[in-house]
Amino acid sequence: MKNNNKNQEKLFNKAGIMPYFFDERSLKKYAPLAIKKAIFKTFEGHISVPSFPLSPVQILIENQPHFIRLNLADKAHRLQGKWTLTLENNVVLTGKVKNNVIQLPQDLPLGYHQLVLNYSGKQAECSVIVAPTRCYQPTALKEGKKLWGTFLQLYTLRSENNWGIGDFGDLKQFIQNLVPYQADFIGLNPIHALFPANPGSASPYSPSSRKWLNVAYIDINQVPEFQQNAEAQAWFNNADTQATLAKVRSENWVNYDEVIPLKLKGLRFAFDYFQQKTTALRQQAFTDFLKQGGESLEVQATFDALHAHLMATFSEQWGWDFWAKEYQSYYSDTVQQFKQANQETIRFYAWLQFIADEQLAECDELCKAQNMTVGMYRDLAVGVTGSGSETWADKTLYCLNASVGAPPDVLGPQGQNWGLTPMNPHILQQQAYRPFIELVRSNMRHCGSLRIDHIMSLLRLWWIPKGDSAANGAYVRYPVDDLIAILALESQRHQCLIIGEDLGTVPKQIVSKLKNAGILSYKIFYFEFDKEGKSRAMDDYPYQAMTTLSTHDLPTINGYWRGYDFELGQRYGVYPNPNILAILQRDRVEAKRKILARLQENQIKVEEGVDETLTSQVSKKFNHQLQTYVSNVSSGLFGLQPEDWLDMTEPVNIPGTSMQYANWRRRLTANITDVFADRDIQQLLNTIKDNRKN
């Protein structure tokens, strides 16, 4: 029995299933045997990487000795062979194996190279990736300057022109309004592809694909083919269409079920015109885009077209795992027949990606024209849903019978199951990290920075057997050093600053890795205390960090100060244990007391009625005082969100809920014009500009 258990543990370890982890109180938490067995099954036998005599991929760091040791069963055997290394620029280097080692030149250029080994009439191949030690940082950060900016949930923006959801046109307007305040960056929620045929799947953190864009963000008014199409304009100016637009613009929550079909109808008018009457130059640009997108774009467009067809024909076709078996793989004969019969519809969905990419690029160019130090920063979600286009087309890479999340902790006593499907780290290595390389490349397009949600996923992810509760999981290891090296290489090539969201339980072994790689940490003011337990002083924050007061997963400043998140949590069943809720409430009161003490130390006088209790008053004035105070932080980046400029209460998301609360729908309480016309907000932004620039 003991031997059997030892063998099992060896297999778990080989798969990368970690036997234990340290929780937020530094207590060692062991994974139960039954859970490890269940997770092991989700690998479906793919728990190792073929490595004889070469691994599929080898990461080398620039300007260090470069040698690759051959993997042989008989280490005493001396393999005779010749190697050829074809560099990215097609320069070819050759040499011989010596003492079972391939010795490569130390001055190899950065990039992706291909190694071929010929031995005993056989051939082995290996991708050789030469990476820098650090990610890109703009000159201003190297000079120690203090930058500031804002981050948006793009869909929440209101304007006189959008179609009931914030879009790239609104983003341009927002960027232009920031110019007088010399903002250095503007951050976005993940803008990954969702499910146009299933508008209710609205979470930007649960995408169909992370490689393509959410077409809901297209500003239809600025699509040339929509402007030029008389039929489109007649439909747009029709009383019924205008009444629908007025309705969805006025609503306080994004009405996806009305907005998405409306936008798709308008875009179809535009596409029909594009097909018939657009210029040869524009047709060529689209042809080039199709060629560049390759099979990945074809998969995405086919998925969206097929999904729309099935939703119109049958009920409850939410994703490919609900479809008839013959449709459940992109490569099936039935899907290929669908492609042949529906080429124009598939072309329409590919064209939507073309338009979205074009408009995102225009936003990026506008940031550059305004000389923003960083410009736009995009957000990379942790993973994809198991029912979207990426898993539909690559079922080998993804472990479909597992999902990822977070273990129980004080903030989330039930743990979190994000419903995202994990990549198999062994298959990722077998594929020479190509899926990861393509992923970061696509998300570094048209931006100056990339925020990586839950960056600890480069080291480990909390896997949960599909259908189980979040508490019944275990951590699975990922090849962290290799992934950081690739991230550094792509970051330098794209001149893209990397921000790592490292909140929650952060293992010690990744902290120094991220710091040494030049990846910015992520600090939330509410959670920062010094060794004496006081609210952390503004000059005590690390420079290599982004500091903010709140995020999409936390209450607004107003909500935090009033304890509104506890009220909502109780309403929606986030806190089933009253004792844990009482501890959290007590901790909140204590944290607020410490924050108020720091404000008093800094001669910031708060209004009467604002105190540490959960019945405290909160005013716009106090809200702005707090933001102004934190803008003095010593971190290189300081960010804040328009919800807090407006002193809003309602959160955009309540972690631990799905259907109970209208997550990812809450809009801003004012349109963009009124936000920037607000005298209090003007004063706030001017003060922050002065604090960061002086």
Side-chain angles (χ1 to χ4, degrees):
M1 189 71 177
K2 281 187 179 179
N3 285 340
N4 189 34
N5 285 344
K6 276 186 179 179
N7 290 336
Q8 276 190 335
E9 291 299 333
K10 280 181 182 178
L11 284 173
F12 297 153
N13 185 56
K14 188 177 182 182
I17 301 168
M18 299 171 66
Y20 61 84
F21 72 98
F22 292 96
D23 69 8
E24 76 277 11
R25 296 167 297 172
S26 298
L27 297 176
K28 190 183 277 190
K29 297 283 186 178
Y30 285 90
L33 179 62
I35 296 299
K36 288 187 286 189
K37 282 182 176 179
I39 290 172
F40 184 79
K41 277 184 185 176
T42 69
F43 284 90
E44 296 184 346
H46 301 293
I47 61 165
S48 61
V49 182
S51 58
F52 175 83
L54 287 172
S55 299
V57 61
Q58 183 76 39
I59 306 282
L60 305 174
I61 303 302
E62 66 173 337
N63 300 324
Q64 292 185 10
H66 296 328
F67 60 88
I68 299 173
R69 195 173 300 281
L70 300 183
N71 301 308
L72 302 174
D74 180 4
K75 300 218 180 340
H77 174 68
R78 290 289 178 262
L79 186 144
Q80 305 296 314
K82 294 181 179 179
W83 57 263
T84 302
L85 183 69
T86 305
L87 302 182
E88 210 173 38
N89 59 8
N90 290 321
V91 170
V92 176
L93 307 175
T94 59
K96 291 182 179 180
V97 175
K98 295 179 181 176
N99 296 322
N100 291 341
V101 171
I102 294 174
Q103 186 73 48
L104 299 172
Q106 188 166 327
D107 60 351
L108 286 177
L110 295 174
Y112 301 91
H113 316 304
Q114 198 61 32
L115 178 68
V116 176
L117 171 65
N118 289 291
Y119 68 100
S120 306
K122 299 175 185 175
Q123 195 174 81
E125 294 188 15
C126 171
S127 291
V128 174
I129 303 173
V130 182
T133 54
R134 289 175 63 83
C135 294
Y136 168 82
Q137 290 188 356
T139 304
L141 282 181
K142 292 177 182 176
E143 292 174 349
K145 291 182 177 174
K146 292 166 79 174
L147 311 181
W148 86 276
T150 183
F151 34 85
L152 311 172
Q153 298 292 309
L154 183 53
Y155 52 90
T156 67
L157 294 185
R158 289 179 183 267
S159 71
E160 299 86 350
N161 299 315
N162 76 33
W163 290 28
I165 184 172
D167 60 31
F168 291 132
D170 294 331
L171 180 55
K172 283 184 186 176
Q173 186 186 346
F174 207 97
I175 292 165
Q176 287 164 333
N177 275 282
L178 280 174
V179 171
Y181 307 105
Q182 298 174 32
D184 300 288
F185 62 85
I186 182 163
L188 301 176
N189 57 279
I191 52 175
H192 308 316
L194 299 183
F195 297 83
N198 181 19
S201 291
S203 170
Y205 291 91
S206 300
S208 172
S209 170
R210 292 184 290 175
K211 292 188 279 190
W212 297 102
L213 298 174
N214 184 348
V215 298
Y217 294 134
I218 293 172
D219 176 6
I220 301 181
N221 303 318
Q222 295 302 313
V223 177
E225 291 80 10
F226 187 76
Q227 296 170 336
Q228 295 158 10
N229 185 347
E231 190 183 357
Q233 289 303 306
W235 169 78
F236 176 69
N237 290 303
N238 175 282
D240 288 344
T241 306
Q242 286 298 311
T244 304
L245 283 169
K247 175 181 176 289
V248 295
R249 282 179 186 142
S250 67
E251 293 182 280
N252 294 326
W253 304 78
V254 178
N255 186 344
Y256 289 103
D257 289 334
E258 280 198 70
V259 167
I260 303 303
L262 187 70
K263 294 195 81 165
L264 287 173
K265 188 170 182 178
L267 287 162
R268 191 76 207 211
F269 277 116
F271 176 69
D272 290 344
Y273 187 91
F274 176 87
Q275 289 281 79
Q276 297 160 22
K277 297 182 181 177
T278 199
T279 64
L281 192 67
R282 201 139 161 79
Q283 282 282 8
Q284 187 58 51
F286 180 45
T287 301
D288 292 344
F289 183 79
L290 289 172
K291 186 177 179 182
Q292 186 183 27
E295 187 182 54
S296 176
L297 177 56
E298 200 173 313
V299 166
Q300 184 62 42
T302 304
F303 180 89
D304 287 340
L306 179 56
H307 195 189
H309 167 72
L310 293 173
M311 285 290 277
T313 312
F314 306 104
S315 62
E316 299 183 346
Q317 302 292 294
W318 313 120
W320 68 260
D321 50 342
F322 287 84
W323 300 349
K325 193 171 183 181
E326 61 266 29
Y327 291 115
Q328 290 192 357
S329 170
Y330 171 71
Y331 301 100
S332 75
D333 291 341
T334 308
V335 171
Q336 297 311 305
Q337 289 163 13
F338 174 85
K339 283 178 65 178
Q340 287 300 315
N342 295 272
Q343 290 181 29
E344 186 172 310
T345 305
I346 292 168
R347 187 175 169 86
F348 166 64
Y349 281 100
W351 181 78
L352 294 184
Q353 290 296 332
F354 168 65
I355 298 296
D357 184 79
E358 188 176 62
Q359 292 193 353
L360 180 64
E362 289 170 5
C363 295
D364 183 42
E365 287 303 317
L366 182 59
C367 290
K368 289 172 181 171
Q370 305 301 343
N371 295 314
M372 293 177 85
T373 310
V374 175
M376 279 199 306
Y377 90 62
R378 293 177 61 177
D379 195 349
L380 178 63
V382 182
V384 294
T385 68
S387 56
S389 63
E390 280 195 40
T391 53
W392 183 56
D394 195 346
K395 294 180 177 61
T396 306
L397 176 62
Y398 291 94
C399 291
L400 298 172
N401 291 313
S403 61
V404 299
D409 61 17
V410 173
L411 286 177
Q414 299 181 83
Q416 294 179 46
N417 187 335
W418 301 326
L420 305 174
T421 304
M423 286 185 184
N424 184 328
H426 310 290
I427 301 294
L428 194 59
Q429 283 181 285
Q430 281 180 31
Q431 296 184 10
Y433 299 122
R434 280 191 304 276
F436 182 74
I437 295 162
E438 290 167 6
L439 177 65
V440 295
R441 281 178 179 168
S442 59
N443 282 274
M444 288 179 183
R445 278 175 70 84
H446 312 316
C447 65
S449 179
L450 181 62
R451 174 189 180 271
I452 300 180
D453 195 41
H454 194 67
I455 199 165
M456 288 83 77
S457 64
L458 300 181
L459 172 75
R460 67 183 193 183
L461 264 176
W462 183 256
W463 285 31
I464 306 154
K466 195 169 184 178
D468 213 331
S469 71
N472 295 329
Y475 277 111
V476 172
R477 285 191 304 271
Y478 281 76
V480 59
D481 293 325
D482 287 3
L483 298 178
I484 287 177
I486 291 166
L487 196 58
L489 175 57
E490 293 299 331
S491 163
Q492 292 287 354
R493 290 191 159 183
H494 288 83
Q495 295 199 329
C496 185
L497 174 70
I498 305 297
I499 300 164
E501 187 270 285
D502 52 354
L503 305 174
T505 306
V506 184
K508 290 178 182 177
Q509 59 263 50
I510 200 171
V511 175
S512 59
K513 290 180 187 293
L514 298 177
K515 185 178 179 181
N516 293 339
I519 296 171
L520 272 63
S521 183
Y522 206 78
K523 302 296 180 189
I524 305 292
F525 168 67
Y526 304 148
F527 301 154
E528 292 296 315
F529 300 94
D530 61 21
K531 290 176 182 176
E532 296 173 3
K534 296 179 181 178
S535 177
R536 196 170 189 173
M538 288 297 100
D539 60 1
D540 187 38
Y541 280 68
Y543 180 75
Q544 191 172 291
M546 154 81 85
T547 294
T548 182
L549 286 93
S550 190
T551 75
H552 61 274
D553 276 339
L554 295 171
T556 62
I557 294 172
N558 181 299
Y560 173 88
W561 207 262
R562 295 200 295 110
Y564 184 56
D565 52 321
F566 297 134
E567 185 182 321
L568 290 176
Q570 284 177 283
R571 188 185 306 169
Y572 297 118
V574 175
Y575 306 111
N577 186 329
N579 295 329
I580 289 177
L581 175 61
I583 292 168
L584 291 171
Q585 290 173 323
R586 184 192 67 204
D587 289 349
R588 175 72 56 83
V589 170
E590 184 63 13
K592 286 169 58 181
R593 185 186 64 76
K594 292 171 179 179
I595 290 169
L596 289 170
R598 277 292 184 199
L599 295 180
Q600 189 175 10
E601 264 182 45
N602 286 271
Q603 287 78 52
I604 298 169
K605 190 174 180 181
V606 302
E607 295 168 295
E608 218 174 298
V610 175
D611 57 37
E612 71 272 20
T613 68
L614 297 180
T615 56
S616 169
Q617 295 175 18
V618 188
S619 66
K620 188 178 180 184
K621 179 182 177 183
F622 172 69
N623 199 324
H624 287 196
Q625 281 179 312
L626 204 53
Q627 292 175 72
T628 301
Y629 166 67
V630 182
S631 71
N632 293 292
V633 70
S634 52
S635 298
L637 270 61
F638 168 66
L640 63 171
Q641 52 189 19
E643 286 89 336
D644 294 322
W645 307 352
L646 292 163
D647 192 34
M648 289 177 63
T649 302
E650 290 293 336
V652 80
N653 172 49
I654 302 177
T657 65
S658 55
M659 304 304 289
Q660 306 98 307
Y661 182 78
N663 293 321
W664 318 114
R665 288 163 172 79
R666 194 268 294 128
R667 304 175 75 196
L668 296 183
T669 51
N671 67 29
I672 297 167
T673 303
D674 292 338
V675 167
F676 286 96
D678 185 308
R679 293 290 177 87
D680 294 332
I681 291 175
Q682 290 174 2
Q683 184 180 348
L684 170 69
L685 300 184
N686 273 316
T687 304
I688 287 171
K689 176 191 74 174
D690 293 341
N691 286 350
R692 300 302 288 175
K693 302 298 176 182
N694 294 335

